[in-house]
Amino acid sequence: MHTIDFDLDREHVELNQLLKLVGLADSGGQGKAIVASGDVTVDGVVELRKTAKIRAGQIVRVGDAEIRVLGVEG
């Protein structure tokens, strides 16, 4: 598993956009398809809402990638 640290510069980011921003999806549309496939978990729970609000402190997993969402204060 490889870990990606994502620095969140606002209150939240939509899940499909997060996948695009960290390079796991080529587009927001592909991000939506990845979420719809059931392969994404947020804090250990499968997340099927494509535009779920992801906030600092949450852990998103897709396949062998773990995205740690960090706030601006680190």
Side-chain angles (χ1 to χ4, degrees):
M1 178 171 296
H2 68 283
T3 302
I4 302 165
D5 286 339
F6 178 78
D7 293 316
L8 186 63
D9 60 358
R10 50 191 171 271
E11 184 183 337
H12 68 268
V13 61
E14 292 182 352
L15 181 54
N16 63 309
Q17 290 299 316
L18 175 64
L19 298 180
K20 181 177 127 179
L21 292 169
V22 300
L24 295 177
D26 293 330
S27 66
Q30 186 184 21
K32 288 180 181 181
I34 293 169
V35 175
S37 73
D39 290 338
V40 179
T41 64
V42 177
D43 294 335
V45 179
V46 172
E47 179 59 78
L48 296 173
R49 295 173 299 154
K50 300 165 190 72
T51 58
K53 293 179 168 103
I54 305 302
R55 293 182 163 82
Q58 292 190 291
I59 304 287
V60 177
R61 286 194 176 92
V62 184
D64 68 344
E66 177 180 278
I67 306 163
R68 295 188 310 177
V69 182
L70 308 174
V72 286
E73 68 281 347

